[in-house]
């Protein structure tokens, strides 16, 4: 069943069977699961249980059926969450999503990364995991590397993924991670590496060298081909003249990302709330906050990108939507929260009247994660992402679908130009990029595949004795 689904309406499946809304049921079950405190937990946590990251962790633990215990700290000012498995010191390991997923082997990592691969996929989000499964079908020796948590931002989102085939009720991030990780684990040609951060991409003959940082230092990996599926990263929500140094502590008082919404709903009744964001995630968050009984909801957007029916629904429900604005800063007291949001209309030189608030939610999304690509890098637009195929400037040779300006380097998902930030789209692009790799290998396989890999040996066995 889908965790913490926010779909409370009755729907009909294509076969006429009713789809049962599970929102209240699953919230109640997850809360009981959290309070269980089993005698022999598989993993134990110490820290606050209602923060954004704690809520995301609880969701993943619930969906995977992991027995866990959660204890509060004696110091309420200490907001760290640490964890331990039997035999570990709970003070040693911070409970980030990535650390916990690695410790629980939700997507098991190899003990030793090889030096040469047919294909290296940078990023284990929806696009990257989809590409890995398709690459395995071609027997490509593949490395799937992830810096943070498997599943990418989709894994920690609380808003339901509504456009994924086969899940008419919607699919939550935690459930998506569970089914996707299980699929990748079944692929014998795919090696997974956690906490491996790519820092540069360099030519190596017809292949590529990727320099990476990992827990025990740095190393490099040789790749015949590369799929960039490194997604997006959070953007600052404020205008260029925002004084980050003087207001950085206030910025910490803001709720960031979709996961923050569910953990705060119980505290928002009759409160004045501002949501900053323009897309469907921001609209879903606004709906949840209105459902929770917030007293006044204002949505600030630079340019409205949400579905038209969502905008109409929010306005009908009493939300105030102000678009074509930039947020310029916040007023408040660090430790007590934000009391005002300052903004100005695009093109204006002066701020509009500040909005009095009790809570602020940043749901502005992110920008393509391409800053890491040093040395040789594909043609890109720093705001829109990596350019591929028809989006490239003039090229001497026709490009394969999702291929970048670098031969044999492909880009998919949120890092690619004009991403729509849809899980279904990202998964489809991962499959399509590997399909394009078939075309690339037709004339390049001897130069780019590792002679020790099964893909090379399969092609060598079926190739003409004297190739032209």
């Amino acid at each position: 069943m889908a965790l913490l689904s926010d779909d409370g309406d009755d729907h009909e499946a294509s076969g006429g069977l009713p789809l049962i809304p599970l929102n209240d049921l699953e919230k109640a079950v997850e809360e009981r699961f959290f309070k269980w405190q089993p005698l022999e937990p598989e993993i134990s946590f110490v820290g606050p249980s209602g923060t954004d990251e704690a809520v995301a962790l609880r969701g993943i633990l619930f969906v995977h059926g992991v027995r866990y215990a959660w204890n509060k700290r004696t110091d309420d000012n200490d907001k760290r969450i640490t964890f331990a498995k039997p035999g570990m010191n709970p003070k040693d390991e911070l409970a980030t999503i990535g650390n916990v997923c690695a410790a629980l082997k939700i997507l098991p990592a190899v003990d030793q990364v090889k030096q040469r691969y047919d294909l290296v996929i940078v990023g284990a989000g929806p696009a990257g995991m989809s590409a890995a499964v398709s690459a395995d079908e071609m027997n490509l020796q593949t490395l799937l590397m992830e810096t943070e948590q498997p599943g990418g931002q989709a894994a920690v989102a609380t808003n339901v993924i509504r456009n994924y085939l086969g899940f008419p009720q919607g699919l939550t991030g935690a459930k998506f991670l569970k089914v996707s990780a299980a699929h990748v684990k079944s692929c014998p040609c795919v090696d997974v590496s956690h906490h491996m951060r790519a820092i540069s991409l360099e030519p190596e003959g017809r292949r590529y060298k990727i320099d990476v940082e990992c827990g025990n230092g740095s190393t490099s990996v040789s790749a015949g081909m590369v799929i960039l599926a490194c997604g997006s990263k959070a953007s600052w929500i404020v205008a260029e003249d925002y004084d980050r140094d003087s207001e950085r502590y206030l910025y910490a008082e803001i709720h960031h990302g979709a996961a923050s919404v569910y953990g705060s709903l119980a505290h928002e009744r009759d409160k004045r709330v501002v949501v900053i964001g323009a897309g469907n995630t921001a609209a879903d968050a606004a709906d949840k906050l209105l459902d929770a009984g917030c007293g006044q909801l204002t949505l600030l957007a630079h340019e409205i990108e949400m579905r038209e029916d969502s905008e109409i629904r929010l306005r009908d429900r009493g939300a105030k939507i102000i678009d074509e604005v930039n947020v310029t800063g916040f007023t408040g007291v660090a430790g007590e929260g934000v009391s005002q949001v300052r903004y100005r209309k695009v093109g204006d030189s002066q701020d509009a009247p500040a909005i009095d608030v009790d809570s602020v939610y940043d749901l502005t999304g992110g920008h393509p994660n391409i800053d890491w690509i040093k040395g040789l890098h594909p043609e890109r637009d720093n705001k829109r992402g990596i350019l591929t195929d028809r989006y490239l400037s003039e090229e001497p040779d026709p490009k394969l679908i999702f291929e970048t300006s670098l031969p044999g380097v492909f880009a998919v998902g949120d890092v690619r130009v004009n991403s729509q930030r849809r899980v279904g789209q990202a998964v489809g692009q991962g499959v399509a990029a590997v399909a394009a790799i078939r075309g690339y290998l037709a004339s390049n396989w001897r130069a780019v595949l590792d002679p020790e890999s099964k893909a090379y040996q399969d092609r060598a066995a079926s190739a003409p004795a004297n190739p032209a």
Side-chain angles (χ1 to χ4, degrees):
M1 61 183 178
L3 170 68
L4 306 179
S5 168
D6 65 355
D7 189 352
D9 300 326
D10 292 328
H11 298 286
E12 292 285 328
S14 58
L17 295 177
L19 302 179
I20 303 172
L22 297 175
N23 185 40
D24 294 338
L25 172 61
E26 291 190 355
K27 286 180 181 178
V29 173
E30 191 279 330
E31 190 67 26
R32 293 294 296 272
F33 192 77
F34 166 71
K35 294 178 178 179
W36 177 21
Q37 298 289 344
L39 294 177
E40 296 183 357
E42 299 172 61
I43 189 168
S44 299
F45 296 84
V46 178
S49 60
T51 63
D52 302 349
E53 190 156 40
V55 170
L57 280 169
R58 287 169 51 178
I60 291 171
L61 295 165
F62 174 50
V63 162
H64 286 82
V66 177
R67 301 188 310 276
Y68 71 94
W70 201 299
N71 299 298
K72 293 182 179 180
R73 292 191 181 278
T74 54
D75 181 2
D76 291 338
N77 294 320
D78 188 349
K79 303 300 184 183
R80 293 176 306 132
I81 304 174
T82 55
F83 77 96
K85 293 184 69 179
M88 284 178 55
N89 184 340
K91 296 182 179 179
D92 290 341
E93 196 81 40
L94 285 175
T96 64
I97 303 289
N99 287 343
V100 172
C101 286
L104 294 172
K105 297 184 177 179
I106 288 175
L107 190 60
V110 292
D111 295 329
Q112 184 67 42
V113 171
K114 300 180 181 67
Q115 293 301 306
R116 291 172 63 86
Y117 285 90
D118 296 329
L119 173 66
V120 171
I121 302 171
V122 183
M129 289 198 287
S130 170
V133 170
S134 295
D136 182 74
E137 294 177 351
M138 292 175 60
N139 291 324
L140 295 173
Q141 190 60 51
T142 300
L143 173 64
L144 177 63
M145 66 167 67
E146 175 55 51
T147 303
E148 298 178 3
Q149 73 271 350
Q153 294 182 5
V156 296
T158 57
N159 56 305
V160 172
I161 301 164
R162 293 190 174 91
N163 62 335
Y164 203 85
L165 183 65
F167 294 87
Q169 281 181 284
L171 179 68
T172 56
K175 180 66 174 180
F176 171 79
L177 172 59
K178 180 179 182 179
V179 297
S180 301
H183 202 163
V184 173
K185 281 192 285 188
S186 70
C187 298
C189 292
V190 177
D191 287 349
V192 176
S193 179
H194 297 298
H195 305 310
M196 179 174 272
R197 182 186 301 275
I199 57 175
S200 70
L201 180 66
E202 301 286 351
E204 190 177 56
R206 299 279 293 279
R207 293 170 61 89
Y208 293 94
K209 183 182 77 166
I210 302 175
D211 292 325
V212 297
E213 293 177 343
C214 40
N216 55 357
S218 60
T219 185
S220 62
V221 177
S222 176
M225 297 159 294
V226 180
I227 292 180
L228 300 173
C230 33
S232 61
K233 60 182 181 180
S235 300
W236 281 85
I237 62 176
V238 292
E240 293 180 359
D241 58 352
Y242 171 60
D243 187 346
R244 298 181 186 178
D245 289 333
S246 65
E247 298 189 27
R248 65 186 183 276
Y249 296 112
L250 275 180
Y251 191 72
E253 303 288 343
I254 297 171
H255 302 282
H256 300 280
S260 68
V261 179
Y262 172 71
S264 306
L265 290 176
H267 308 292
E268 300 297 6
R269 178 169 293 278
D270 299 325
K271 297 295 180 63
R272 300 163 300 177
V273 178
V274 165
V275 173
I276 305 172
N280 293 324
T281 299
D284 288 340
D287 270 325
K288 289 181 184 178
L289 290 161
L290 290 169
D291 291 341
C294 74
Q296 174 185 310
L297 188 138
T298 304
L299 189 144
L300 298 177
H302 184 76
E303 182 179 357
I304 294 295
E305 299 174 354
M306 68 185 68
R307 296 183 299 270
E308 184 177 358
D309 62 322
S310 296
E311 181 181 357
I312 293 171
R313 182 179 64 253
L314 289 174
R315 291 187 188 276
D316 288 345
R317 299 188 67 184
K320 184 177 182 180
I321 299 178
I322 308 175
D323 64 345
E324 298 184 355
V325 301
N326 288 319
V327 174
T328 56
F330 310 100
T331 303
V333 178
E336 297 181 10
V338 176
S339 59
Q340 288 186 325
V341 177
R342 304 191 302 276
Y343 74 97
R344 72 180 60 153
K345 297 287 286 186
V346 173
D348 288 355
S349 59
Q350 300 293 324
D351 285 357
I355 303 173
D356 294 329
V357 297
D358 298 300
S359 301
V360 180
Y361 291 83
D362 168 17
L363 291 136
T364 51
H367 62 276
N369 182 21
I370 53 179
D371 298 339
W372 64 269
I373 306 177
K374 304 294 189 285
L376 185 70
H377 58 76
E379 187 178 348
R380 58 186 176 178
D381 180 309
N382 287 333
K383 291 184 178 180
R384 295 192 302 152
I386 296 174
L387 307 183
T388 67
D389 46 76
R390 66 187 179 91
Y391 294 104
L392 291 166
S393 58
E394 292 186 12
E395 286 286 325
D397 300 314
K399 283 291 179 180
L400 297 165
I401 188 170
F402 299 115
E403 190 176 18
T404 70
S405 58
L406 303 179
V409 178
F410 301 79
V412 293
D414 288 349
V415 76
R416 178 180 177 263
V417 65
N418 287 357
S419 166
Q420 300 301 308
R421 299 183 61 80
R422 297 288 184 271
V423 171
Q425 180 194 52
V427 169
Q429 289 183 1
V431 174
V434 175
I437 281 174
R438 291 183 183 271
Y440 179 74
L441 289 176
S443 57
N444 294 289
W445 67 272
R446 291 182 184 275
V448 302
L449 293 181
D450 181 0
E452 300 297 320
S453 75
K454 191 173 188 306
Y456 183 99
Q457 294 169 7
D458 289 346
R459 287 179 176 268
S462 59
N466 297 304

